């Protein structure tokens, strides 16, 4: 059995347990393109808090979720600073500000509305993943980009009450993609600049498949990284799936 060191983040202290065979087999057959769903299943199966209580993976920020998978990899690899292509884990980890996390930041007035930006959570990232292809006229990369904006941006005073997050998200993506091009561009650049205030652990972006961690150095030649759950599973177990 592998003993994992306690992971101390500003959102809490997390204890990871080694995956058992049944769970590893279950995770190894989750289809490519369902990484957010796989991360939730992974956290639900093997992560507890310091009091040995289960952790809600959908309430965590996407950065925390990435870190939990990366911590498993760091603890089971030859080196904690494990290789990611030509790079290493340390080329992507930006850490946390000692002053604490910012929960929301003011964007200001853009396109005749006053906006705030909030953190992206697992609940949001899973919804973006599930609704791929639901809005006509946009490609997968734009779906992820606008989906992130739809989940993180809200008007000042706006409430987020919904019974069906997928329907809510599709409606918001539809509205945002109907903005005039100049208004969308203004909102996008304001969103990109303001969300830096919420940054913790990783610099999050997306491609057409899902969320990625960007290199921490802006002028880096390294590609963006992804921490898929199936990299936590040995080839031996995958061969049995």
């Amino acid at each position: 059995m592998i003993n994992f060191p306690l992971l101390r983040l500003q959102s809490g202290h997390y204890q990871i347990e080694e995956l058992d065979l049944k769970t590893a087999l279950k995770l190894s057959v989750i289809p490519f393109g369902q990484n957010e769903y796989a991360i939730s299943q992974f956290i639900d199966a093997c992560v507890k808090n310091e009091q040995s209580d289960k952790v809600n993976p959908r309430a965590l920020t996407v950065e925390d979720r990435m870190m939990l998978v990366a911590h498993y990899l760091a603890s089971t690899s030859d080196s904690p600073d494990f290789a990611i292509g030509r790079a290493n884990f340390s080329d992507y980890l930006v850490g946390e500000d000692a002053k604490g996390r910012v929960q929301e930041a003011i964007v200001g007035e853009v396109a005749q509305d006053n906006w705030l930006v909030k953190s992206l959570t697992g609940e949001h990232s899973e919804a973006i993943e599930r609704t791929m292809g639901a809005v006509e006229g946009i490609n997968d990369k734009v779906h992820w980009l606008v989906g992130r904006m739809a989940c993180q941006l809200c008007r000042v005073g706006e409430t987020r009450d919904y019974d069906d997050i997928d329907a809510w998200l599709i409606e918001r993506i539809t509205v945002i993609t109907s903005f005039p091009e100049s208004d969308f561009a203004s909102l996008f650049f304001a969103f990109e600049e303001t969300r830096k205030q919420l940054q913790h652990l990783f610099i999050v972006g997306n491609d057409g498949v899902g969320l990625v961690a960007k290199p921490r150095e802006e002028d880096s030649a390294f590609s963006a990284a992804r921490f898929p759950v199936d990299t936590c599973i040995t080839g031996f177990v995958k061969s049995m799936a």
Side-chain angles (χ1 to χ4, degrees):
M1 177 181 288
I2 299 171
N3 292 315
F4 295 83
L6 187 69
L7 178 61
R8 301 175 187 273
L9 302 178
Q10 290 182 5
S11 60
H13 296 170
Y14 304 99
Q15 185 63 59
I16 295 181
E17 299 174 349
E18 186 177 1
L19 292 168
D20 61 34
L21 176 59
K22 288 190 297 183
T23 303
L25 288 168
K26 176 183 174 182
L27 293 173
S28 68
V29 297
I30 293 175
F32 178 76
Q34 295 185 23
N35 193 48
E36 296 303 313
Y37 170 74
I39 291 175
S40 292
Q41 295 300 303
F42 168 85
I43 294 171
D44 193 52
C46 70
V47 179
K48 295 182 179 179
N49 63 23
E50 209 169 12
Q51 290 73 43
S52 295
D53 294 326
K54 290 180 75 69
V55 173
N56 180 359
R58 294 168 185 86
L60 298 174
T61 67
V62 295
E63 293 90 345
D64 282 339
R65 288 158 58 89
M66 286 183 179
M67 189 65 201
L68 286 166
V69 178
H71 185 64
Y72 195 104
L73 291 171
S75 301
T76 54
S77 300
D78 294 335
S79 167
D81 193 19
F82 56 90
I84 303 175
R86 296 185 297 108
N88 292 91
F89 178 52
S90 58
D91 293 308
Y92 299 90
L93 182 64
V94 298
E96 298 192 278
D97 193 318
K99 297 178 182 178
R101 294 185 185 181
V102 175
Q103 301 300 320
E104 64 179 35
I106 298 173
V107 177
E109 184 176 348
V110 182
Q112 293 79 54
D113 280 305
N114 286 302
W115 299 88
L116 300 171
V117 64
K118 299 174 181 286
S119 292
L120 189 68
T121 67
E123 180 186 32
H124 300 141
S125 61
E126 278 200 68
I128 299 171
E129 189 172 74
R130 283 194 303 269
T131 56
M132 291 278 288
V135 180
E136 293 185 6
I138 61 173
N139 61 37
D140 292 347
K141 185 175 181 179
V142 173
H143 176 84
W144 272 99
L145 172 61
V146 179
R148 288 165 53 214
M149 292 173 64
C151 290
Q152 292 188 255
L153 286 165
C154 63
R155 296 171 179 83
V156 174
E158 180 182 14
T159 59
R160 291 191 167 192
D161 295 327
Y162 46 75
D163 296 321
D164 183 340
I165 189 174
D166 290 6
W168 171 86
L169 178 58
I170 290 168
E171 181 180 358
R172 286 181 73 86
I173 292 175
T174 301
V175 169
I176 291 175
T177 54
S178 298
F179 280 13
E181 183 181 343
S182 57
D183 285 350
F184 175 80
S186 296
L187 187 60
F188 168 74
F189 288 116
F191 165 72
E192 285 288 286
E193 186 61 31
T194 306
R195 73 185 183 90
K196 293 177 183 177
Q197 299 177 44
L198 279 63
Q199 183 173 289
H200 56 282
L201 298 174
F202 302 101
I203 303 170
V204 175
N206 72 270
D207 56 17
V209 178
L211 300 177
V212 295
K214 297 180 180 180
R216 60 189 179 90
E217 301 294 340
E218 281 192 33
D219 58 352
S220 173
F222 298 135
S223 300
R226 185 175 279 111
F227 304 106
V229 166
D230 71 349
T231 56
C232 298
I233 301 167
T234 64
F236 168 65
V237 171
K238 289 178 184 177
S239 70
M240 295 189 291

